[in-house]
Amino acid sequence: MTSTDRSDTLALLVAAALTACGPASGDTAGESDTDTDATAGDTDTTTVDTPTTGASDGPTGEPGDTDTETTGEAPPELVCAGASWATPIEPGEFLGVAVDSRGHAIGFGTSQTSLTFPDALVVDVGPDGVPVHSIGAGAPGEYDSVSGGGVDGDDNVYALVNEGFTTDDGLDTRFWLRKFDTGGALVGELDLGTASQGLRPYDLAVAPDGSVVITSLDPVDHDVVTRRGPDFAVLWEVNAPALHVDAVNAAGTSVALRSRDGVVKLGADGQTEWDIDWPLWNPGAADIDDLGNVVVAGTAEDGAPLTVARFDADGSLAWETKFTLRNQYDEIANVAINSAGTVAVAGYTQTDGWKAFALRLDAAGEIVEEHHCDEPESRGEAIALDEAGRMFLAGILFQDGAENMAYVAAFE
């Protein structure tokens, strides 16, 4: 989902929303300390097999039928060179995006339709760029957000939801893993406990078979990586400092970034297959294809060129591409790879305000397409890539004196 450290921001987005005054042009969610000395308690590991009232009524194909509030003002026009469409969705921000087998883009993030109650934001956008429906991933009227999401091989949608609430002792957050069908109905959920119990899940990777990998912070700021099966049962768990899983493939193999200085491949059993030193000044991003090839992107140090590299399944470096788009302040936020070896990169430049970009690299690491969104200010926070090579860019569109907008843009 961003250029800021996900370990610091995504897990704490709800607590930050509680104290924020609301969105402003160029601002992102702040940070708030929710660490406690408590130990994690027992959580409910049951799933449900029938839809609940939290979901939308199903797709209609009309943007007016989404379950979201609007300000009554016409959304701004987003101009992205080379895009087949670019759609502002609603006030808020997308920090994640996934694409399903139908060519639908699913955006994940936080709605800002109310300055008082930020809401979890999950929107299904059709292949033509028209929002199909909004998924009720959170609790309306609560301080909630989505800190990770994805789709499985059956096009089910998964969301890691943070629901903030107040207690006699102050602020707390309850974490949920929720699964929805293609119509937006809830078909399973797992209570992952509260921040006050000690464990704070902050990101989610979804495999085609419906298994997931969740990265959490424990009370001493170590990362806990847990793989759960399609029934949400724990398959394995590892505890390691500063290890964040970005993606998991059909074989259950995961790619993780180690703090800001390494890329790690974990086998289907959670054991490390290889661990390579790889300096990343910003948090960076990684993805893995179904053959176990890994792509990683970021910058080695402040002001250094952007870097995208691909490692073969055995950890050997296949290629490395360094480049500068507009100046030394370019940032990479996300990367994706498909089975053909095509790589997509999302980020933003800061030449004249923030401008989102999407890049396509071929299987040899050559940049073959470069797309910039030059009107208005925007950031590219996430990117998805389907098997046909179509790219879906999502992020934040800034407006002077108005609420920021979540958007999705598609590039054939």
Side-chain angles (χ1 to χ4, degrees), residues 13 26 42 108 113 133 189 209 219 224 237 240 264 287 305 320 330 332 347 368 383 396 404:
L13 190 56
D42 295 334
F108 303 90
T113 54
H133 61 245
E189 65 178 1
D209 68 354
V224 179
E237 186 167 276
V264 181
D287 196 14
E320 179 183 27
D330 300 340
I332 286 177
V368 294
I383 201 158
I396 309 167
N404 302 332

Side-chain angles (χ1 to χ4, degrees), residues 296-322:
V296 60
T299 53
E301 58 186 18
D302 188 12
L306 304 181
T307 301
V308 182
R310 204 204 82 185
F311 295 90
D312 291 336
D314 62 0
S316 59
L317 181 64
W319 51 258
E320 179 183 27
T321 300
K322 293 181 179 291

Side-chain angles (χ1 to χ4, degrees), residues 79-161:
V79 179
C80 297
S84 53
W85 49 262
T87 305
I89 303 298
E90 70 165 85
E93 57 185 30
F94 281 144
L95 299 179
V97 67
V99 58
D100 67 16
S101 66
R102 306 169 300 163
H104 288 224
I106 316 298
F108 303 90
T110 304
S111 169
Q112 291 289 344
T113 54
S114 166
L115 299 184
T116 306
F117 296 108
D119 288 320
L121 181 63
V122 181
V123 180
D124 183 323
V125 183
D128 56 359
V130 177
V132 177
H133 61 245
S134 176
I135 295 175
E142 298 290 343
Y143 301 95
D144 54 26
S145 63
V146 176
S147 59
V151 298
D152 66 17
D154 293 323
D155 297 334
N156 296 304
V157 177
Y158 297 73
L160 183 60
V161 181

